[in-house]
Amino acid sequence: MHNQPTRWAIFTPNRILMKLRFFTFIFSLFTVLAISAQDDDFGMDFTVGAEKKIRPGMSFGIESEARTQDNTRKIERWTLGGVFDMRLWQNEKKTFSVKASAGWKYMWLYNLGTTECKYGTSLDGDGNPVEYYKGYNEKKSYWRNRHRMSVSLGASYKPNKRWSYSLRETFQYTHFCKSETTVDKYRLDDDDDMTMTTEPKEYAPKDLSMLRSKFTVQYNIRHCPVNPYAAVDYGCGLNYKDSKWKFTAGTDINVTKQHKFEVFYRYIKEHDSDDPTGHLLGLGYNFKF
């Protein structure tokens, strides 16, 4: 009689070692990111979405989002949008597929007030330049809304029931609406008394385009609703000098075929952008009908 493989074959030493190495690497990566960015902001991200299957390989979904900033003390954004997904191709074994999607969202973004010190330069008795403190500017907080449209093309590969890999390329267009705020300027006069003047500051509309690349790897734990994943997302400005990194580690929790929760940690690194750099702890819920 031949020995039949059992469900415990998944726990062979080689497979256990491979999984431990993978999750140890992911944990180490995000631990290093968290330690090296202790001065960055921390916020919470909450999403609620619904998805409707139109036909096999085609669906439409809507999603709302709320995000905090300033160590969760203030709101950072409200978002409402939708996305249309369509599978373009799939092989016979259903291990490899290509999908296209198009989405739109509207964002209400709250920008925190800032304080900026101002300095001047004068010459000393020897003619050398000397920097001196003039005062500071206080920019008031303000709302600046955005429209965002995106088109993406992605490919996914599932060599077995446990592992899945995906790569998605997205063209993202964002329109920044007009906004305004005020700036209080505090200056030292000749008697070293502080005086204050208020000036309006306007932000003209602008349009920015970005190309984003996202790679995701996910593991399906056998007989368990928890499916951990890790993702790296890089965005490069096309009509402006900017770049953006997102490092995410989280898990999907499949309660039923219709109800799914998501818990994740994300570190966002911005370069010359209006958005804050920092840490996010997220919780999401999605309903399929």
Side-chain angles (χ1 to χ4, degrees), residues 80-97:
L80 181 63
V83 61
F84 174 79
D85 293 320
M86 181 175 64
R87 188 173 62 229
L88 301 179
W89 180 82
Q90 186 178 61
N91 63 355
E92 293 182 0
K93 295 182 179 180
K94 297 183 179 181
T95 57
F96 186 82
S97 63

Side-chain angles (χ1 to χ4, degrees), residues 54 58-61 82-86 100-104:
I54 302 174
M58 183 182 296
S59 64
F60 177 77
V83 61
F84 174 79
D85 293 320
M86 181 175 64
S101 63
W104 172 88

Side-chain angles (χ1 to χ4, degrees), residues 136 138 140 183-188 193-199:
Y136 60 96
E138 280 190 353
K140 304 300 182 182
V183 179
D184 292 338
K185 296 186 175 182
Y186 295 85
R187 295 292 184 269
L188 291 171
D193 293 327
M194 191 71 74
T195 61
M196 189 270 284
T197 59
T198 300
E199 295 183 2

Side-chain angles (χ1 to χ4, degrees), residues 85-284:
D85 293 320
M86 181 175 64
R87 188 173 62 229
L88 301 179
W89 180 82
Q90 186 178 61
N91 63 355
E92 293 182 0
K93 295 182 179 180
K94 297 183 179 181
T95 57
F96 186 82
S97 63
V98 178
K99 183 176 69 172
S101 63
W104 172 88
K105 64 173 62 176
Y106 190 82
M107 298 179 288
W108 296 262
L109 282 99
Y110 184 69
N111 296 269
L112 298 175
T114 59
T115 300
E116 180 183 8
C117 293
K118 293 295 182 178
Y119 298 89
T121 303
S122 62
L123 299 178
D124 60 14
D126 297 327
N128 298 317
V130 177
E131 189 178 69
Y132 66 95
Y133 177 72
K134 296 197 305 182
Y136 60 96
N137 291 354
E138 280 190 353
K139 183 171 65 175
K140 304 300 182 182
S141 57
Y142 62 98
W143 290 87
R144 192 178 190 188
N145 304 336
R146 306 179 190 176
H147 299 268
R148 175 170 292 170
M149 293 178 288
S150 60
V151 179
S152 64
L153 182 66
S156 62
Y157 174 59
K158 297 185 65 174
N160 51 54
K161 294 182 179 180
R162 306 275 78 88
W163 293 94
S164 64
Y165 308 88
S166 64
L167 177 64
R168 185 178 65 188
E169 298 293 326
T170 303
F171 172 77
Q172 180 178 283
Y173 163 80
T174 305
H175 173 74
F176 290 68
C177 300
K178 179 181 178 181
S179 184
E180 61 182 21
T181 184
T182 58
V183 179
D184 292 338
K185 296 186 175 182
Y186 295 85
R187 295 292 184 269
L188 291 171
D189 58 20
D190 295 336
D191 298 325
D192 287 337
D193 293 327
M194 191 71 74
T195 61
M196 189 270 284
T197 59
T198 300
E199 295 183 2
K201 182 174 180 59
E202 294 187 354
Y203 294 91
K206 65 178 181 178
D207 301 293
L208 301 181
S209 299
M210 174 175 281
L211 183 64
R212 296 175 59 175
S213 303
K214 182 177 182 181
F215 176 74
T216 305
V217 55
Q218 187 167 35
Y219 180 74
N220 175 264
I221 301 177
R222 191 174 184 179
H223 304 304
C224 181
V226 177
N227 302 308
Y229 68 87
V232 179
D233 188 325
Y234 174 72
C236 178
L238 299 179
N239 64 340
Y240 66 110
K241 293 182 179 180
D242 193 1
S243 62
K244 183 175 185 178
W245 286 94
K246 293 182 181 180
F247 302 91
T248 307
T251 182
D252 293 333
I253 305 173
N254 299 313
V255 181
T256 66
K257 290 184 178 180
Q258 290 182 307
H259 304 276
K260 182 177 74 173
F261 287 92
E262 180 186 13
V263 180
F264 67 86
Y265 161 78
R266 177 176 298 150
Y267 177 69
I268 303 174
K269 180 62 177 178
E270 294 278 0
H271 297 278
D272 301 327
S273 178
D274 296 330
D275 296 328
T277 289
H279 311 268
L280 276 180
L281 186 61
L283 176 63

Side-chain angles (χ1 to χ4, degrees), residues 23-41:
F23 291 112
T24 300
F25 169 74
I26 297 301
F27 176 78
S28 301
L29 173 64
F30 287 94
T31 299
V32 171
L33 289 173
I35 294 175
S36 63
Q38 294 180 353
D39 296 332
D40 293 333
D41 194 17

Side-chain angles (χ1 to χ4, degrees), residues 2-9:
H2 296 287
N3 292 329
Q4 297 294 326
T6 68
R7 64 176 181 173
W8 303 107

